[in-house]
Amino acid sequence: MLADRTIVRYCKTAMLNLQRLACIFAPNLPIQVEQARHGYAAQLIVPDLLGGQTVFAASDELILAGVETGLPLHQAKQIAPSALIVGPDETEYHARHGAMHESLKAFSSAIETIALGEFLLDIRGLGAVHGGEERLAKTLCETVRNASQLAARVGIGSGKFVAQQAARQTADNTALVVPIGHERRFLSALPITILPDMPGEMYRRLTLLDIHTLGDLSALNKPAVLRQFGSEASFFYELARGNDSRPLQPDVPPLRIARAMTLSHPISDRRVLLNIVNHLSQRLSRTLAARGYHAEALKLTLEIGRKTPLRLEQGQALKPPTADEGKLSRLAMHLLGQLGIAEPVARVSLCAYPLRSWHHQTHQLALVKAGIPERRAQLEDVIQLILHRFGQAAIRIASLLGPPIPLKVKVKVNAVGLPSLVTLAGQARGIAGIDEHWREERAWWSQPLRRDYYRVILTDGSLRNLFQNLNDGDWFLDRAWPMV
Amino acid sequence: MNVHRCSSFTRACGGAGVVPHSSLMFCELHAHSTYSLLDGVPFPEQLAERAAELGLTAIALTDHDALYGLVPFYLRARELGVKPIIGVEFTLEDESHLTLLAENDIGYRNLCRLISAGRMARPKGESRLAWATLTQHTTGLICLTGCRRGPVARHALLNDMAAARRWLVWLLDVFGRKSVYMELQRNLRRDDVRLSRRLAGLAHEHRLQCVATGNVHYLTRDDADLQDVLVSIRERVPLPKIVAGRNAVSPLRPNHEYYLRSPTAMAALYPDLPEALQNTLLIAERCKVSLPTGLQTLPQFPAPHGLAADDYLRRLCEEQLPRHYSRNFKEAKVLLEKELALIAQLGLANYFLVVWDIIAFCQRRGILCHGRGSAANSLVAKLLGISAVDPIAQGLVVERFLSVEHGGTPDIDLDIDAAQRESVIQYAYDRWGRDHAVMACTYITYRSASAIRDAGFALGFNPNTIEEIATAIEGERRAQELDEDGQVKHLDVPVDQLTTRLFDHPTTWLNSTEWQRLVTMAERLRKRPRHLGLHNGGMIVTGEPIASLMPIEPATMPNRTVVQFDKEWLEELGIVKIDLLGLRMLSAISDALKLVRETRGRRIDLHALDFRDKRVYDQICSAKTIGLFQVESGAQVSVIPHLQPRCFQDLVVEVSLIRPGPLQGNMVRPYLRRRNGQEPVTYPHPSLQSALEDTLGVIIFQEQVIKIARDFAGFIPGRGELLRRALGSKNASESLEAFHHEFIQGALAQGVSQPIAEKVWEMIAGFAGYSFSKAHASAFAVIVYWSAWLRVHFPAEYFCGLLRNSPLGTYPPNVLESEARRNGIRFLPFDINRSKAKATVEGGAIRFGLDYVKGIGAEQAEATIEIRGMQPFRSLVDFVERTHLDRRAVESLILAGAFGSLGERRQVLWDLAEAFDLARRPQGLPLAVPDEHAAMHPMTEAQKLIITFATTGVTAGMHLVEVRRDAFTRAGCWPYHQLLKTRLGSKVKVGGLVADGVRRPPTAKGTAFLRLDSPDGIVDVIIPEELYLKSHDILRSAFLVVEGVLRQKQPAIAITAKRVEALK
């Protein structure tokens, strides 16, 4: 019995030690995409996908200048006032990322998405097929580049850390293979700062002890390191030696989830199609909810004709991303309404773009940035724990309901500038008097809000809150009160 | 539906609308100034000025729980013909607000008592007055029921009229029906009108009058943004985050309507309640309080045998007179009689006796104490031991200190050994009682850097960016602030000017709206008070309890209370104070004397020195002045070759010469030329000879202005003193204008021609700016001599004393260390078993104390030494076990080399983890297994030096420049000795460590100065403005290489820079 356990443990260890991973990395994907689109710009900023108030990506030059992901956009502008700021093209980034992912599937199904444009691939046994790991790496690089039209880097090594570092150490469109047994030597010259999430205190003390490279760290004996820095140092010590036992976690969130229905008899009746679209959106919503994703966009595809089907497509982003059945359904039906259907429809397909891990990170970053700085590390730890324990699906984005949007109305004012007549739902209503007048002036430092509010009594005795926007003079209905 | 209630609104907020018949029937009774501390924008004077502009006949200042702004408000309002009303908006224990106005002098005293009571036993800056306390001090006060947070209004706002009614009845009971008014406010805030109608109804029900107030927080709408910024700073939440939803409570006011309104604008807001406006005038009519000016009642000094204070003072002086003036007794006796008569006339005998009592305490305790300032003009001060300066020998005039004409209060400043100052202050508290003794306050105002920091915070800028800019501004400002003597002058430069200088090539960022908003906001914040501080040492003692004269509050320091008026305003009120100033140089001297006693067994009486030691003057003439009091800066050193001080009088001139007054008046060069016989000594008029003879025909001392005014223009001495004060005032040119005509006329009456009179007037006007009185300079010269004498005769002890009390003077400890090393003094390394808490002298060498090590405070250092006293530390584990110091502190000690006897620094640092483990482990458990050890790379000597410097601020070994010696050589720097052999005017290249930062005094017209320290000596570098602007960033480097022209070799090397670069 004891022997069996030992064998099992040995096998597990052996498997982990033998894992060969390729890291395929398209550096700074959004910037690459935007630079290709807008012509090369050394100073380029892409704001985040939600609200555009923080930096999502920045060109290398700006990163060196201190513009980092998550930095409030106005501060980034202070650092780089002449930077070109382009709106994020979520669909395109998805498409490139998806293309990379698709192209990798030809090599292996065991793919882990690390971040936008970064993947880890299990390549055990593939080296022999492709004439060695060097050639495999080159092939991977070429394939990904062709598929995504992006500069890519490939690193191969035993374990995630070595593979990722190999990809980072190499140049664009090249590959670097770290042979088995050479991990420690490869890492030895690299600075300790690359160790992921190393506590600041450990870094400070290592520096004082003149330990600046992974080679310096790995040269120490492990018990001594553990005694010096505690048990948590074990992970960093092993990484420095090139031992990374973290298993590959094949992609959990797919890039898209689709639900389709092929009709035995093509249908052109819009009401039936509405029902079908509604049904598909419900199924899609359930799937998303069950797997813990939010869709960022929805695409409706209709196939017309049987033998040479013609495809009609319409898509739209969902802001904020959601799995809500009602919202998906409304959007799907709205998309159907936008498509002109000349012939009967043979197949209906509804495709949602689920939340990606990189997208999670953007939200989390925004979340922690908004919080108290001291608690950021704590919050990040908690998020990491949740991710580790329950997977990415466990993290959801909360949203709050805002107040109703004021309704623009026409108001006639009297000689002293007070409202005397208001047009509501196309009907002019006389104002008998003003119950109260107050003024609100806020947010002069960002988007100044200046409003004069009037609680008016209409001739029928009912009350309304009106306000005039003092910036442009427009009038709005803010609130209706029951009859007095 | 009640239609009538809603028909009369106008857009009153803008002042537009129907002007009712009641215009001009209003005065503001609820206004906050910037002294509501982060809850009000206008300066008190501005409130009065704006009130006058708007035609208000009266205005009340009602800051939160304080009278900080009272004096300037009162004086300015009176000046403008606006009636000042003294009031306070109190915060009660349940956080309600209540507006109280002083109706008469009793009311004013009650306000003071209530403020003091509300602040006692509360954290600094906070006030919560107990309702019960309020009931005890209501006489002479008019109560307005308060803003929305008032006890009545806040219940009425919730429509809890029963509770509102209960509170109103309570206020009526406490204050009396005639003294309570219902306060109404309409600032276009939601529910304002509804609330004011409810309150008016309640008032009507109780037959009370209503008053309308504006709850003013700024003068005009334009300042509302600054008010928001102040609130954001107060709340410590940036504006972008402070915004609450529509229904949530936000500390920001909802609109920009809390400004000072004209009667017309107010009338438009209260068309339905005109009597609420008229009642404000009735209240203003009732309030008749005069600011309590005049001398406060001093405590009666308990003189022996029931002697009156004047008699006892006379007795003390007469006892001392023969001892000090055996030769010129008669002359001294005449002067003494004159002074005693003056003191009696001014009623200051008790004041002198109180100060004498403090001096006597210091003498009993052996605390080094020395009078400075104008008190040294007084023979009485000399006889009482307050001053060490002989006014007769120095030709000083007592009118500079005391005169009936200027009526001001004398100010006695005592320099006290800084380490002992607290014991002196506590003595004064105990001697006169805590109800009768209090410290003066100071208002900590925004300066450029702090304004940028707080404005940046409020506007949501990246803290790192803001900190970087603020630090750069501080550096820039510091360079501006130091005068030629290296003394910090509290000048401040507008933020926009500083930032323009900082960023020599304006970027688009600087032109961005956000940046401009930040700079503008910071500039508007500048000079506004942020919080209350404690004056350096100003102590007030009074006969009657202070809390009934002036509001007081607890200071942050334990066992201290502070009055709500600062030095300037106390003077306006005629309150005399005694400045108990801590002077670190006296601490250093005191420590040096102690060390001499301990190491050499010699007791030295500094008072017995005769100021004639040739070696002392030789040392100063050779420019070896680093570490000396007042004469160590580059500017002072530059004067030494020309001045060549050889006697005490020369020292008096030396410390006075490099001051803005003599510099701006172009007195320095003429004096030096005349002294060296390069130009004849002349006087514009023979009558000036007596005043200017001692200083070769130029004005150097403040007293000379008084003498000139007397001899040349026939001014009586007191009037001359007023002229002297005008010269030193902030707006000297305006203040002087008042004297110009009088001076010229006076001179003409003495038979002087108009052109000569004008010439002399120009000479005097040019002297405007900061300058020393001869008395003050003499007092300082005494300390200069003492410090120089100790440096000559006991250099190790003296430098040790300096290092014990560092930072002091111009230079950081590493420069003092460097200077000591050049004087042949060795330094011993930090050692856990040898170092003491403070620096010590061991066999002629200095060993730094553990207090120099970062992370070890003075207390921890003392405790460690006490523990070591039982038994030396045997090992790192032993040390950790016995001291219980935290890991960082022990780590700092290791890095400083204090464990050098136990092993190599890195190895000991590695062993630290084990030491902490073992120290925590129960006895008897096994120690670490061998494979848990690791061999560390030993530190190189250079690394040791740098890490010691980083951990302690000193090297306790070689000079830092030694570490970079090769780099300096590669950069082509000349050795110091080679510079001495080089011809003046030659092109040279020097390098070193920047000693005391770059200084750019305003009087230097753009030129900057720095001193480069190296193991062999110091080089003074003059940087022309053009080069300074070009090399601004480079000049922030620690190690510099300067290429330039050799200007001076003796006694100190000086070069004019042509090129500056950071050492690569």
Side-chain angles (χ1 to χ4, degrees), chain A residues 126-443:
Chain A
L126 288 180
V129 177
H130 289 83
E133 287 185 340
E134 296 278 353
R135 291 189 64 179
L136 169 65
K138 280 180 189 161
T139 311
L140 277 170
C141 189
E142 209 165 299
T143 307
V144 167
R145 197 178 62 190
N146 291 338
S148 64
Q149 299 300 310
L150 296 169
R153 303 173 186 186
V154 174
I156 290 180
S158 303
K160 288 182 175 183
F161 184 62
V162 176
Q164 281 183 281
Q165 291 312 317
R168 274 167 175 71
Q169 294 306 313
T170 191
D172 281 357
N173 299 322
T174 59
L176 180 63
V177 177
V178 181
I180 296 170
H182 288 70
E183 293 83 6
R184 191 169 160 188
R185 193 159 47 161
F186 163 69
L187 293 171
S188 64
L190 299 178
I192 52 171
T193 47
I194 62 167
L195 288 169
D197 302 322
M198 182 167 61
E201 175 62 12
M202 185 174 166
Y203 172 71
R204 189 187 69 81
R205 284 170 56 203
L206 283 171
T207 312
L208 281 176
L209 290 164
D210 204 27
I211 295 164
H212 300 286
T213 64
L214 299 182
D216 294 340
L217 180 59
S218 61
L220 301 168
N221 65 44
K222 190 171 179 179
V225 171
L226 296 189
R227 172 157 216 160
Q228 192 67 222
F229 301 104
S231 57
E232 65 176 340
S234 171
F235 171 67
F236 302 109
Y237 179 78
E238 290 300 340
L239 284 190
R241 293 175 78 93
N243 301 329
D244 187 358
S245 59
R246 291 174 295 170
L248 189 83
Q249 290 181 314
D251 258 348
V252 184
L255 276 176
R256 60 182 62 206
I257 293 177
R259 288 292 174 267
M261 187 181 283
T262 306
L263 307 171
S264 50
H265 300 287
I267 294 168
S268 54
D269 186 335
R270 204 170 265 279
R271 280 177 303 178
V272 179
L273 285 172
L274 275 174
N275 280 335
I276 293 170
V277 166
N278 190 32
H279 173 70
L280 287 176
S281 62
Q282 282 174 4
R283 280 175 56 199
L284 196 57
S285 166
R286 274 184 227 127
T287 311
L288 289 172
R291 297 176 66 179
Y293 307 142
H294 283 180
E296 292 169 35
L298 206 58
K299 189 168 71 178
L300 178 68
T301 310
L302 303 180
E303 286 182 18
I304 298 170
R306 278 178 187 265
K307 289 183 180 171
T308 51
L310 175 68
R311 281 189 170 196
L312 298 175
E313 282 186 348
Q314 189 70 33
Q316 192 169 322
L318 277 158
K319 288 185 179 175
T322 182
D324 181 77
E325 188 180 309
K327 285 183 182 171
L328 290 184
S329 172
R330 278 196 295 279
L331 181 58
M333 286 191 270
H334 173 70
L335 294 175
L336 181 66
Q338 289 185 326
L339 291 171
I341 306 164
E343 288 182 57
V345 176
R347 183 180 162 85
V348 182
S349 168
L350 195 60
C351 172
Y353 300 86
L355 222 63
R356 308 274 318 160
S357 54
W358 57 271
H359 205 148
H360 267 309
Q361 285 171 357
T362 309
H363 285 293
Q364 289 156 12
L365 205 53
L367 181 67
V368 296
K369 285 278 175 191
I372 301 163
E374 295 78 39
R375 295 197 180 161
R376 178 181 168 170
Q378 200 181 346
L379 185 57
E380 280 176 349
D381 286 348
V382 172
I383 290 171
Q384 288 303 321
L385 277 173
I386 294 170
L387 275 173
H388 182 70
R389 173 71 181 81
F390 301 106
Q392 285 163 345
I395 309 272
R396 305 291 180 88
I397 299 152
S399 69
L400 297 172
L401 282 177
I405 298 166
L407 188 68
K408 195 168 179 177
V409 292
K410 281 185 184 167
V411 169
K412 199 172 170 184
V413 295
N414 62 19
V416 289
L418 297 172
S420 59
L421 198 75
V422 58
T423 304
L424 298 170
Q427 191 186 351
R429 312 280 293 273
I431 293 173
I434 297 169
D435 180 49
E436 195 175 358
H437 163 215
W438 70 94
R439 176 169 290 177
E440 286 191 13
E441 289 164 293
R442 300 195 300 258

Side-chain angles (χ1 to χ4, degrees), chain B residues 889-1047:
Chain B
V890 184
E891 193 180 281
S892 293
L893 283 167
I894 295 169
L895 293 173
F899 286 88
S901 56
L902 299 176
E904 202 282 326
R905 288 186 206 190
R906 279 212 185 99
Q907 199 60 53
V908 179
L909 192 63
W910 180 267
D911 293 342
L912 184 60
E914 184 187 336
F916 266 87
D917 275 357
L918 291 174
R920 283 194 291 261
R921 193 175 289 185
Q923 294 293 319
L925 285 180
L927 299 176
V929 291
D931 69 350
E932 287 178 2
H933 292 291
M936 293 288 109
H937 299 298
M939 281 187 190
T940 62
E941 285 305 311
Q943 281 176 332
K944 281 182 191 171
L945 211 62
I946 289 167
I947 200 85
T948 307
F949 182 74
T951 328
T952 62
V954 291
T955 61
M958 286 189 297
H959 196 286
L960 269 183
V961 166
E962 298 283 9
V963 179
R964 310 295 306 275
R965 179 72 82 183
D966 291 346
F968 278 115
T969 309
R970 277 199 301 277
C973 293
W974 296 23
Y976 192 83
H977 60 83
Q978 196 177 337
L979 292 170
L980 293 172
K981 292 177 199 160
T982 308
R983 200 161 39 85
L984 289 179
S986 307
K987 212 172 165 187
V988 294
K989 203 171 191 181
V990 296
L993 181 72
V994 178
D996 59 331
V998 181
R999 289 169 292 114
R1000 206 173 166 221
T1003 46
K1005 300 181 177 95
T1007 306
F1009 305 90
L1010 65 85
R1011 307 195 89 191
L1012 285 181
D1013 186 30
S1014 67
D1016 307 317
I1018 280 207
V1019 176
D1020 287 298
V1021 181
I1022 303 152
I1023 306 164
E1025 184 175 23
E1026 197 183 336
L1027 180 63
Y1028 171 80
L1029 294 174
K1030 211 163 61 182
S1031 322
H1032 190 271
D1033 285 339
I1034 297 169
L1035 289 169
R1036 290 181 195 156
S1037 313
F1039 293 104
L1040 285 181
V1041 174
V1042 180
E1043 203 176 318
V1045 177
L1046 189 63
R1047 289 282 173 226

Side-chain angles (χ1 to χ4, degrees), chain B residues 157-228:
Chain B
L157 194 61
L158 300 171
N159 210 13
D160 182 359
M161 296 312 289
R165 199 169 283 117
R166 275 200 305 278
W167 273 105
L168 183 60
V169 169
W170 189 87
L171 289 175
L172 288 171
D173 281 349
V174 170
F175 286 92
R177 177 166 297 279
K178 284 183 182 171
S179 297
V180 177
Y181 289 82
M182 186 68 82
E183 187 172 358
L184 310 179
Q185 292 179 350
R186 288 181 180 175
N187 295 96
L188 295 187
R189 185 173 181 159
R190 194 174 191 165
D191 292 332
D192 261 359
V193 175
R194 199 183 301 261
L195 174 64
S196 59
R197 283 190 181 129
R198 278 182 199 152
L199 293 174
L202 198 58
H204 181 72
E205 192 183 298
H206 288 81
R207 287 175 289 116
L208 271 185
Q209 298 291 326
C210 295
V211 281
T213 67
N215 198 5
V216 172
H217 281 73
Y218 31 87
L219 296 181
T220 63
R221 277 202 198 93
D222 295 341
D223 283 335
D225 53 354
L226 184 54
Q227 165 70 13
D228 285 349

Side-chain angles (χ1 to χ4, degrees), chain B residues 353-506:
Chain B
L353 289 173
V354 167
V355 180
W356 169 75
D357 184 61
I358 291 171
I359 296 284
F361 168 77
C362 292
Q363 285 169 351
R364 284 198 300 275
R365 289 289 188 90
I367 298 170
L368 211 48
C369 170
H370 183 71
R372 68 147 84 161
S374 56
N377 286 278
S378 161
L379 179 61
V380 172
K382 163 78 179 164
L383 296 174
L384 293 179
I386 296 169
S387 160
V389 178
D390 178 354
I392 297 174
Q394 296 298 322
L396 302 174
V397 286
V398 72
E399 288 80 7
R400 169 68 186 82
F401 178 54
L402 287 175
S403 81
V404 179
E405 287 80 8
H406 69 69
T409 51
D411 206 2
I412 297 184
D413 301 341
L414 295 179
D415 283 329
I416 299 168
D417 172 351
Q420 299 295 326
R421 176 168 161 262
E422 187 57 27
S423 63
V424 179
I425 288 172
Q426 290 305 324
Y427 169 75
Y429 270 120
D430 294 342
R431 179 77 170 88
W432 303 108
R434 290 190 181 267
D435 291 341
H436 300 264
V438 70
M439 304 290 291
C441 83
T442 180
Y443 303 109
I444 310 299
T445 53
Y446 277 108
R447 308 183 72 190
S448 302
S450 55
I452 275 281
R453 274 196 189 98
D454 272 8
F457 167 82
L459 294 172
F461 275 72
N462 181 344
N464 296 336
T465 313
I466 288 297
E467 191 50 41
E468 203 174 309
I469 295 167
T471 309
I473 285 177
E474 264 170 359
E476 174 75 4
R477 199 203 59 212
R478 203 170 293 126
Q480 302 261 332
E481 275 183 350
L482 296 177
D483 70 7
E484 290 76 358
D485 196 30
Q487 302 301 305
V488 175
K489 295 286 132 223
H490 293 287
L491 302 172
D492 203 10
V493 185
V495 180
D496 49 352
Q497 283 182 29
L498 281 173
T499 48
T500 313
R501 277 194 213 121
L502 280 173
F503 304 101
D504 298 332
H505 308 290

Side-chain angles (χ1 to χ4, degrees), chain B residues 320-330 332-333 379 382-383 389-393:
Chain B
Q320 294 295 324
L321 196 65
R323 287 189 205 166
H324 291 87
Y325 297 97
S326 52
R327 283 192 297 175
N328 48 353
F329 183 81
K330 267 191 177 175
K333 177 74 179 160
L379 179 61
K382 163 78 179 164
L383 296 174
V389 178
D390 178 354
I392 297 174

Side-chain angles (χ1 to χ4, degrees), chain B residues 410-599:
Chain B
D411 206 2
I412 297 184
D413 301 341
L414 295 179
D415 283 329
I416 299 168
D417 172 351
Q420 299 295 326
R421 176 168 161 262
E422 187 57 27
S423 63
V424 179
I425 288 172
Q426 290 305 324
Y427 169 75
Y429 270 120
D430 294 342
R431 179 77 170 88
W432 303 108
R434 290 190 181 267
D435 291 341
H436 300 264
V438 70
M439 304 290 291
C441 83
T442 180
Y443 303 109
I444 310 299
T445 53
Y446 277 108
R447 308 183 72 190
S448 302
S450 55
I452 275 281
R453 274 196 189 98
D454 272 8
F457 167 82
L459 294 172
F461 275 72
N462 181 344
N464 296 336
T465 313
I466 288 297
E467 191 50 41
E468 203 174 309
I469 295 167
T471 309
I473 285 177
E474 264 170 359
E476 174 75 4
R477 199 203 59 212
R478 203 170 293 126
Q480 302 261 332
E481 275 183 350
L482 296 177
D483 70 7
E484 290 76 358
D485 196 30
Q487 302 301 305
V488 175
K489 295 286 132 223
H490 293 287
L491 302 172
D492 203 10
V493 185
V495 180
D496 49 352
Q497 283 182 29
L498 281 173
T499 48
T500 313
R501 277 194 213 121
L502 280 173
F503 304 101
D504 298 332
H505 308 290
T507 61
T508 43
W509 180 37
L510 289 182
N511 294 326
S512 70
T513 318
E514 285 171 323
W515 174 255
Q516 287 300 326
R517 182 184 288 146
L518 170 68
V519 170
T520 312
M521 203 53 81
E523 186 50 37
R524 287 164 72 195
L525 270 182
R526 213 164 59 88
K527 295 184 181 171
R528 283 176 203 283
R530 191 184 190 284
H531 57 268
L532 200 69
L534 203 56
H535 184 265
N536 272 345
M539 177 145 245
I540 300 155
V541 287
T542 60
E544 63 180 302
I546 290 172
S548 63
L549 293 171
M550 295 169 282
I552 57 173
E553 58 180 83
T556 315
M557 284 183 76
N559 298 323
R560 287 208 189 177
T561 46
V562 62
V563 71
Q564 287 194 338
F565 300 138
D566 79 349
K567 174 191 168 204
E568 195 181 327
W569 298 340
L570 285 169
E571 202 171 312
E572 289 285 356
L573 294 175
I575 306 290
V576 292
K577 66 175 174 41
I578 309 154
D579 278 346
L580 306 175
L581 304 163
L583 189 66
R584 279 174 170 258
M585 180 52 79
L586 285 185
S587 305
I589 290 173
S590 184
D591 278 348
L593 296 176
K594 215 179 291 172
L595 285 165
V596 171
R597 205 161 52 233
E598 284 168 10
T599 56

